[in-house]
Amino acid sequence: MAVAQTEAMLAVVGRPLPRVDGAVKVTGEAAYVGDMKPAGMLIGKLLRSPHPHARILHVDASLARRVPGVKCILTGADVPRNRFGAIIPDEQILALDKVRYIGDAVAAVAALDAEGAYEALDLIRVEYEELPAVFDPAEAMKPGAPLIHEDKPGNIARHVHIERGNVEQGFAEADYVYENTFRTQHQYQLYIEPDACMAASDSSGRVTLWLPTQSPFSSRENLAQALGVDVSRIRIIQPPIGGAFGAKLAGKPQHVAACLLAMRTHRPVKIVYDREEDMATMVPRVATTIHMRIGFKRDGTMTTKQARIIADNGAYCSHAYNIVFNMSQRMDCLYRFQHTRTETDLVYTNKIATGAFRGFGNPQSHFAMESCIDSASEALGLDPAEVRLKNASRQGDTTIHGWQLRSCALVDCIQKAAEGIGWKEKRHLKGSGRGVGMACVIHVSSNRKAADWDGSNALVKVHEDGRLAVVTGEVDMGQGTLTVLAQIAAEEFGVPIDRVEIGGVDTDIAPYCQGASSSRTVTLGGSAVRAAAAEAKRQLFEVAAEKLEARVDDLEARGGRIFVRGAPDRAMTIGQAAKAHLFRKGGSAVIGRGSFDPPTRPPDEGFYGDLSTAYPFACQAAEVEVDRETGQVRVLNFVAAHDIGKVINPITAEGQVEGAVQQGMGYGLTEQLVFDGGKVLNNNLMNYLSLTAPDMPAIKTVFVESNDPWGPYGAKGLAEPGLIPTAPAVAN
């Protein structure tokens, strides 16, 4: 268990340092997939279904193959028939028997240029037999509804039932019960860089894929499953990523198609989506209908909660399979409920598949619960802030689902958010067109699931000049991971951050990591990097102790030097120690290996268990003005108070909150994918309304440092919790 260090003891951690990859990005030196143009490269494009549900009768690509510059065309009959998927295998590389949504990939083309590829797509003839389609999850569950996957009766992709205590007794004993139905929509991740990949194959058939993925190793497993090969036959190199927010977690059909086209042509093949294709075929946030009941005592004590959730999966599962579990459970741990029950169905429809988006199911369920709390508080004549304070989980609690809160500053967050927004002065403004609202969140900083490993690995190599090279499988998709991990390595080793080198992931070199999800990167990846740095430092201390004629326990490292405590003149540089370790009989390079797997446990069959390294908390408060004639909503002020354990880099942390709040406000006010007959109507930035700078209020960010005992230097996750309470705070 790590011991948090005081501010005075830290030289690099906690400092507002610029990003280590900032210069290459702002100067344009960073090479994204779209920038890559190796010799002989082909352009790949996909032919997509115009129908939401149809049987494929015949595909004729004979005319398309005659187009000058076309080097390969693949249909469903030309590719492996292995089913694959992020969680469950329900998707094909290219549709063979039938298509299940408008946009399902039917064929893939590789050509010398985009014009030739598009011409070939236009010449591929596909004969379809249209089938009845279903677009509403409630309708899809009814008897007689068209089956989207024949092996999924009732179109149910997953059913989740979680229950604790005695819900009927709890409601019977409640003095007041509030209930309502809430609907949340599809939200698009709106990253800067649409999905892209480039594949190349060597003479043995081994594939290298340049893929801006959040999880290189998980993506490699998905691709190997689809291709029917061993994972070592696929190498993934992660170039800079222009944002992801959950959508780029797993390998997708277009990535597999790029691999196959490269293998068939023996040339590099690049597939880059435009914005319209990305918005119509990637994996937006899961849309839900949530009916919720909460029982209260007269004093505002919440005793019982019940929820019924119907979630729109779309045509394929992606990560929605696990998302519905999270939205069924996580919200219950925010407050001290005694009884709870949630029934959730994830339902296939003939629409775009849904998947991971910042918050992973928590925004939907927290919106419903936090909205209920405000409405019930008003009915009971109570202050919603006081109701939250009365029921808030606290440090030392074991929640209703077995989460052990080793650090928790939720009460402090509520108080600071209320103070920052002027809660006491402004909450009685109702009727004036202005009001204040707040909402809270609990999230995770890792997620131990069925596989009993929830860790991270890292290597730290010490060069002979004293510089450190950090090698990790953790991903920076724009959130500042490389900078934070470099700060942790520098702090542990006692060197300035400019003496640390850290780059992107290469699955041939980097140790296995699970990727950027569950707000895990700092807690797990940071702990592994810290352990690797400590191991490398130990190796140096052993040789330095000999040279300096001192005991290992008497040595310190600071400022790039190793010296004897109390005698700073008895010292040597990190580089001198690295050379001494190498250039001696039986010597070796200094390479520290570190791993971190927290002593949490996977949930049991009843979904009870302490599944995360740490649990971040937050309370956000909004001051809102509504035009009472037009209904136009304007957020005037916003306060975000976050318990993140320990702030590793204030600049990066504040940026994460501000970006998350922008996405959360969009979710609450303007952002929605609109469908007609399964077709996305607004798959462009003219009609998909994201908030821009003039729409945003000033955001005051307050960090509460609870110093988690298991996080590196006390740190917990931040990126996802920043979005979750925003929409309900504005709505409230």
Side-chain angles (χ1 to χ4, degrees):
M1 186 176 293
V3 178
Q5 293 176 260
T6 65
E7 194 71 23
M9 298 168 63
L10 300 174
V12 183
V13 164
R15 308 304 177 199
L17 302 177
R19 295 196 180 192
V20 297
D21 58 346
V24 298
K25 289 184 175 178
V26 300
T27 59
E29 182 182 342
Y32 294 81
V33 169
D35 300 316
M36 297 177 180
K37 297 179 180 179
M41 185 187 75
L42 303 176
I43 299 298
K45 297 294 179 182
L46 300 177
L47 179 68
R48 299 187 176 278
S49 166
H51 305 294
H53 200 195
R55 188 170 287 109
I56 298 174
L57 300 179
H58 182 65
V59 180
D60 182 1
S62 58
L63 290 176
R65 289 191 169 94
R66 300 174 190 171
V67 174
V70 170
K71 300 300 180 182
C72 184
I73 296 178
L74 300 175
T75 69
D78 304 316
V79 302
R81 300 187 181 186
N82 307 310
R83 292 189 177 272
F84 71 104
I87 307 297
I88 62 171
D90 64 354
E91 193 161 11
Q92 294 175 298
I93 303 168
L94 297 171
L96 178 64
D97 51 350
K98 70 174 183 176
V99 293
R100 294 175 172 86
Y101 77 101
I102 295 175
D104 221 346
V106 177
V109 172
L112 292 176
D113 52 39
E115 291 76 11
Y118 282 127
E119 183 180 350
L121 292 184
D122 288 340
L123 292 173
I124 297 174
R125 299 290 177 254
V126 184
E127 184 181 350
Y128 295 99
E129 177 190 345
E130 292 191 55
L131 300 171
V134 61
F135 309 112
D136 180 81
E139 294 296 320
M141 290 191 294
K142 291 181 177 179
L147 284 183
I148 297 165
H149 294 269
E150 284 69 18
D151 60 340
K152 299 294 181 181
N155 289 310
I156 304 298
R158 188 180 189 186
H159 177 78
V160 178
H161 173 94
I162 301 176
E163 186 165 1
R164 309 267 183 258
N166 188 322
V167 172
E168 283 73 21
Q169 176 185 331
F171 281 121
E173 294 174 351
D175 296 317
Y176 176 76
V177 176
Y178 180 83
E179 65 181 303
N180 209 336
T181 299
F182 303 86
R183 292 175 177 84
T184 68
Q185 72 278 17
H186 294 82
Q187 182 187 19
Y188 172 61
Q189 289 86 350
L190 200 56
Y191 28 70
I192 295 175
E193 177 194 29
D195 192 67
C197 66
M198 186 176 74
S201 175
D202 63 19
S203 58
S204 73
R206 188 170 190 261
V207 175
T208 298
L209 186 68
W210 288 264
L211 182 65
T213 171
Q214 293 175 236
S215 181
F217 290 94
S218 294
S219 295
R220 184 178 66 164
E221 291 168 11
N222 299 147
L223 298 174
Q225 182 184 34
L227 293 171
V229 301
D230 295 334
V231 292
S232 61
R233 300 294 293 164
I234 300 172
R235 177 188 185 188
I236 291 181
I237 297 175
Q238 178 231 314
I241 304 176
F245 307 114
K248 300 176 183 178
L249 261 176
K252 296 181 172 62
Q254 62 269 26
H255 309 150
V256 189
C259 293
L260 288 168
L261 290 169
M263 294 166 71
R264 301 289 175 89
T265 61
H266 305 291
R267 297 172 70 164
V269 175
K270 182 167 71 173
I271 296 178
V272 178
Y273 279 5
D274 59 25
R275 184 64 63 183
E276 288 76 12
E277 188 173 20
D278 199 274
M279 294 184 74
T281 63
M282 287 293 278
V283 283
R285 192 183 299 283
V286 179
T288 64
T289 299
I290 303 174
H291 185 81
M292 187 170 290
R293 303 174 68 209
I294 301 181
F296 294 80
K297 295 293 187 181
R298 287 188 180 87
D299 65 357
T301 300
M302 294 185 283
T303 62
T304 311
K305 183 189 71 61
Q306 182 176 12
R308 173 71 174 108
I309 303 173
I310 298 176
D312 190 344
N313 186 49
Y316 302 103
C317 243
S318 187
H319 283 85
Y321 188 84
N322 281 340
I323 287 169
V324 293
F325 167 72
N326 294 341
M327 70 173 62
S328 303
Q329 184 196 53
R330 289 183 178 176
M331 58 182 163
D332 299 344
C333 298
L334 182 57
Y335 302 110
R336 290 171 158 175
F337 288 109
Q338 301 169 31
H339 316 279
T340 181
R341 177 195 296 147
T342 302
E343 294 272 355
T344 302
D345 283 307
L346 177 65
V347 187
Y348 284 109
T349 61
N350 290 115
K351 290 191 292 192
I352 182 175
T354 56
F357 191 160
R358 199 177 204 165
F360 215 79
N362 245 3
Q364 296 94 317
S365 57
H366 273 68
F367 184 88
M369 183 176 72
E370 291 295 297
S371 298
C372 285
I373 291 171
D374 262 49
S375 296
S377 298
E378 182 176 3
L380 290 167
L382 300 173
D383 182 340
E386 294 300 324
V387 170
R388 289 178 170 87
L389 286 169
K390 177 182 288 291
N391 293 279
S393 292
R394 288 166 168 79
Q395 185 167 320
D397 283 1
T398 297
T399 72
I400 194 168
H401 295 306
W403 295 12
Q404 296 180 24
L405 307 185
R406 290 165 285 275
S407 63
C408 174
L410 177 57
V411 168
D412 289 343
C413 289
I414 296 171
Q415 293 171 338
K416 291 184 181 297
E419 178 185 348
I421 206 69
W423 184 264
K424 290 183 179 179
E425 300 82 8
K426 296 177 179 177
R427 67 173 294 259
H428 299 293
L429 294 175
K430 290 183 179 178
S432 67
R434 286 195 178 190
V436 290
M438 69 166 52
C440 299
V441 62
I442 183 174
H443 201 62
V444 296
S445 293
S446 65
N447 190 3
R448 188 177 293 275
K449 302 171 187 172
D452 198 11
W453 185 77
D454 188 31
S456 183
N457 297 289
L459 303 174
V460 171
K461 177 183 178 181
V462 184
H463 292 294
E464 289 71 49
D465 60 1
R467 297 181 71 88
L468 308 183
V470 177
V471 182
T472 173
E474 302 295 354
V475 171
D476 193 323
M477 52 186 175
Q479 78 275 42
T481 293
L482 297 182
T483 304
V484 168
L485 296 184
Q487 285 183 262
I488 290 171
E491 186 67 57
E492 183 63 30
F493 227 95
V495 299
I497 193 172
D498 62 8
R499 302 292 290 173
V500 179
E501 300 167 352
I502 184 170
V505 181
D506 181 337
T507 56
D508 271 9
I509 300 170
Y512 185 93
C513 292
Q514 292 186 351
S517 64
S518 300
S519 296
R520 69 193 303 124
T521 307
V522 171
T523 53
L524 299 187
S527 294
V529 167
R530 188 179 184 187
E535 167 58 21
K537 185 171 69 173
R538 181 196 63 77
Q539 296 174 33
L540 289 183
F541 274 22
E542 288 180 353
V543 73
E546 295 178 11
K547 298 293 184 181
L548 300 175
E549 297 180 342
R551 296 188 311 160
V552 170
D553 292 345
D554 292 334
L555 298 180
E556 289 186 13
R558 191 162 61 245
R561 299 166 67 246
I562 300 172
F563 59 89
V564 179
R565 190 178 297 110
D569 292 337
R570 294 171 59 190
M572 62 193 307
T573 66
I574 297 292
Q576 289 170 337
K579 288 180 179 179
H581 194 279
L582 176 60
F583 298 117
R584 58 176 178 161
K585 188 177 180 65
S588 63
V590 178
I591 301 176
R593 293 171 173 81
S595 63
F596 179 72
D597 185 21
T600 53
R601 66 174 189 177
D604 60 22
E605 292 182 359
F607 306 114
Y608 186 91
D610 184 29
L611 55 78
S612 179
T613 310
Y615 301 96
F617 295 85
C619 179
Q620 295 181 350
E623 181 180 3
V624 175
E625 181 178 68
V626 181
D627 186 313
R628 299 174 72 183
E629 292 187 2
T630 66
Q632 182 70 32
V633 176
R634 182 178 171 216
V635 183
L636 304 175
N637 295 294
F638 200 87
V639 179
H642 283 257
D643 164 20
I644 64 170
K646 170 67 182 175
V647 181
I648 303 294
N649 187 317
I651 296 176
T652 296
E654 193 168 321
Q656 280 293 290
V657 171
E658 291 174 352
V661 167
Q662 187 272 347
Q663 283 186 315
M665 284 190 188
Y667 188 44
L669 294 174
T670 62
E671 293 189 40
Q672 177 179 6
L673 286 177
V674 179
F675 293 84
D676 181 19
K679 182 179 182 179
V680 179
L681 297 181
N682 59 335
N683 60 325
N684 59 74
L685 300 188
M686 179 74 74
N687 297 317
Y688 185 86
L689 302 181
S690 174
L691 299 180
T692 58
D695 304 312
M696 294 300 295
I699 300 170
K700 179 181 179 182
T701 303
V702 181
F703 292 122
V704 183
E705 296 190 326
S706 60
N707 290 311
D708 190 84
W710 286 351
Y713 300 99
K716 299 193 282 191
L718 171 64
E720 292 179 279
L723 176 147
I724 297 165
T726 308
V730 172
N732 285 340

